[in-house]
Amino acid sequence: MKRMRTPLIALAAVGALALSACAGSTDSGDDAAPAPADVSFEEGTTMAALNEAGKITIGTKFDQPLFGLMGPSGTPEGFDVEIGKIIAAELGISEENIEWKETVSANREPFIENGQVDLVIATYTINDERKEVVSFAGPYYMAGQSILVLADNEDITSEDDLVGQPVCSVTGSTPAAMLEEIGAEPVLTDTYSNCLEPLRNGAVVAVSTDNVILAGLAAQNEGEFKVVGEPFTEEPYGIGLALDDTDFRMWINDVLEASYEDGSYEEAWNKTAGTVLPYVDPPTPDRY
Ligand code: GLU
């Protein structure tokens, strides 16, 4: 999380688009999942172990429309989920052999550290604090913190209007820390969907987290909420994995870059978050 004074144009467009959007679900239509690759990997690597096991466990959000939302099919849908399918396919693992585990913001690092998941793909901001305990491939997307209010609210137009005000966010998230920093009164829960009732009943004046999450919530509840102001942080989304697994991290960076080249990243976007949000060229992975 980095406070940003000059918002990216692409991020600024997100809030406006979300207002006019009507898509409430991430219908993946009849698009086929990426076919598992016929591959083999160097013995001793995580890639070889996963390929031999023929399955992978991925942590994602289950309540965030556009990125990770549990659907009627019993498997989550969204852009993060599609990124997970692309990686699994390159490991030679088919979609049915991905075990999706719900992660909330606060349990992502422990789930990786304890080996409960192989990867976390969950609107997960790369930052130095988290990099002390887990590592990140990516970034594969750049989000930014923004503000959601009731549709008829005319009083809150930027983060400056949140000072001294009760604002809902999620424990263990970067936006929760930023609310503290700007002098708002954070009211914290475990998932962003749990912030909507307090917003409706006036217990909080706003919900604050990444613009793309708020855009999904606004689109899902058409006419009830609006995203206001410009994004005021940068939230580079990464794929979380075990701290010392440099080979796996670099390999995932290769997979991401290949997906940018061959169109599968854009296709994944278009059938999920792209139903509401504009496509922007992805950032280059940071091979730290
Ligand atoms: N991207 C931010 C984070 O990783 C906020 C979204 C979330 O909580 O998942 O903390």
Side-chain angles (χ1 to χ4, degrees), residues 3-286:
R3 187 92 192 261
M4 186 183 63
R5 283 279 161 210
T6 317
L8 301 175
I9 292 162
L11 290 177
V14 163
L17 254 161
L19 289 179
S20 61
C22 59
S25 77
T26 54
D27 180 8
S28 53
D30 55 4
D31 301 291
D38 188 9
V39 280
S40 64
F41 298 96
E42 195 183 326
E43 257 335 283
T45 60
T46 301
M47 294 82 83
L50 291 169
N51 172 258
E52 277 154 34
K55 55 185 196 229
I56 185 169
T57 304
I58 304 179
T60 196
K61 299 293 184 79
F62 278 12
D63 73 326
Q64 290 180 193
L66 308 182
F67 277 71
L69 180 69
M70 183 49 89
S73 63
T75 53
E77 293 174 359
F79 184 57
D80 282 339
V81 172
E82 294 304 315
I83 294 289
K85 289 179 193 171
I86 289 172
I87 295 168
E90 290 302 321
L91 286 164
I93 299 171
S94 61
E95 195 182 327
E96 323 69 84
N97 291 325
I98 303 173
E99 186 190 338
W100 297 102
K101 208 180 252 290
E102 182 177 17
T103 47
V104 296
S105 302
N107 66 19
R108 292 174 292 194
E109 290 91 277
F111 271 29
I112 294 169
E113 289 178 274
N114 301 336
Q116 282 158 277
V117 294
D118 298 301
L119 297 174
V120 167
I121 313 176
T123 59
Y124 198 8
T125 295
I126 302 171
N127 67 23
D128 289 344
E129 199 182 324
R130 291 172 177 168
K131 272 158 86 176
E132 289 185 9
V133 288
V134 299
S135 66
F136 289 98
Y140 61 93
Y141 188 76
M142 295 296 285
Q145 186 170 348
S146 196
I147 301 162
L148 186 80
V149 294
L150 292 176
D152 62 359
N153 182 311
E154 300 298 332
D155 303 331
I156 296 173
T157 57
S158 81
E159 68 273 25
D160 298 336
D161 300 319
L162 302 181
V163 176
Q165 299 285 341
V167 180
C168 192
S169 198
V170 162
T171 308
S173 70
T174 52
M178 180 53 82
L179 286 175
E180 193 83 58
E181 203 175 310
I182 66 176
E185 283 175 21
V187 175
L188 302 182
T189 177
D190 57 345
T191 69
Y192 296 105
S193 54
N194 283 343
C195 282
L196 296 183
E197 210 38 51
L199 181 58
R200 288 186 180 107
N201 68 28
V204 298
V205 298
V207 179
S208 186
T209 185
D210 301 342
N211 53 349
V212 293
I213 299 173
L214 298 177
L217 294 172
Q220 190 187 42
N221 300 277
E222 210 196 330
E224 231 193 322
F225 308 113
K226 62 183 178 185
V227 182
V228 292
E230 304 292 344
F232 53 96
T233 67
E234 281 179 343
E235 308 290 332
Y237 286 176
I239 295 164
L241 69 151
L243 183 59
D244 296 323
D245 203 343
T246 308
D247 286 348
F248 195 24
R249 177 160 62 83
M250 292 304 173
W251 179 82
I252 294 173
N253 283 330
D254 292 343
V255 171
L256 285 175
E257 290 200 304
S259 77
Y260 299 173
E261 293 292 312
D262 68 14
S264 52
Y265 174 95
E266 188 167 356
E267 196 185 318
W269 177 267
N270 288 341
K271 65 184 182 190
T272 57
T275 56
V276 170
L277 300 166
Y279 177 77
V280 276
D281 286 333
T284 306
D286 173 16

